[in-house]
Amino acid sequence: MDKVLIEQLVIDAYIGVYDWEHDAPQPLVFDIEMAWDNKPAAATDDIALALDYDKVSQALQKLVQDRPRQLIETIAEEAAALIQTDFKVSWVRVKVGKPKAVAAAQTVAVEIERGSK
Ligand SMILES: Nc1nc2c(c(=O)[nH]1)N=C([C@H](O)[C@@H](O)CO)CN2
């Protein structure tokens, strides 16, 4: 299975369950894997046949900054749904890290897979 990947995409977000988290944005780090047949794009050298990682990244930025949320689970689920619906991706893995959440941890994260390969 071919994939298109977006790694370590940083998006500032209003995210968290505690009041202090509602006052300022903090970084979320996205790792995304998307099933995509890369052969047609490679054969034609045509971006129209590729899964445009730039467009996906922009759409994720808009989604995340659209409104505050409490849980990174919510962001992960909404990101997966957007990628599947708007970009016609049959299978996606989304990892959302919140590096500032737990002082003693380098990062905390959730990861989900949606769709079929
Ligand atoms: N599974 C989760 N646990 C926690 C979350 C979360 O989004 N998913 N969030 C928090 C707080 O917002 C925390 O990040 C503040 O440090 C706690 N646990």
Side-chain angles (χ1 to χ4, degrees):
M1 179 187 68
D2 295 354
K3 294 180 192 172
V4 174
L5 311 181
I6 301 170
E7 297 181 341
Q8 298 289 292
L9 174 69
V10 180
I11 304 176
D12 287 330
Y14 286 90
I15 180 84
V17 298
Y18 302 128
D19 285 347
W20 59 265
E21 296 186 282
H22 304 159
D23 295 336
Q26 57 183 308
L28 295 179
V29 181
F30 290 80
D31 288 301
I32 312 278
E33 294 180 42
M34 298 167 285
W36 193 260
D37 181 3
N38 290 323
K39 266 194 187 158
T44 56
D45 201 27
D46 184 355
I47 185 67
L49 299 178
L51 176 57
D52 187 336
Y53 48 72
D54 190 32
K55 290 220 165 80
V56 175
S57 299
Q58 287 176 28
L60 287 174
Q61 178 133 8
K62 192 164 176 290
L63 175 84
V64 170
Q65 295 183 334
D66 180 51
R67 64 181 175 83
R69 295 170 185 85
Q70 301 214 51
L71 300 177
I72 55 176
E73 284 87 340
T74 309
I75 290 275
E77 202 65 53
E78 290 183 19
L82 176 147
I83 289 166
Q84 288 198 282
T85 303
D86 293 6
F87 293 93
K88 312 292 179 234
V89 168
S90 61
W91 173 88
V92 62
R93 176 181 288 145
V94 175
K95 180 178 172 185
V96 182
K98 192 177 178 187
K100 306 280 189 205
V102 176
Q106 190 170 12
T107 194
V108 294
V110 298
E111 182 175 287
I112 61 172
E113 278 184 45
R114 294 294 177 265
S116 50
K117 291 183 182 176

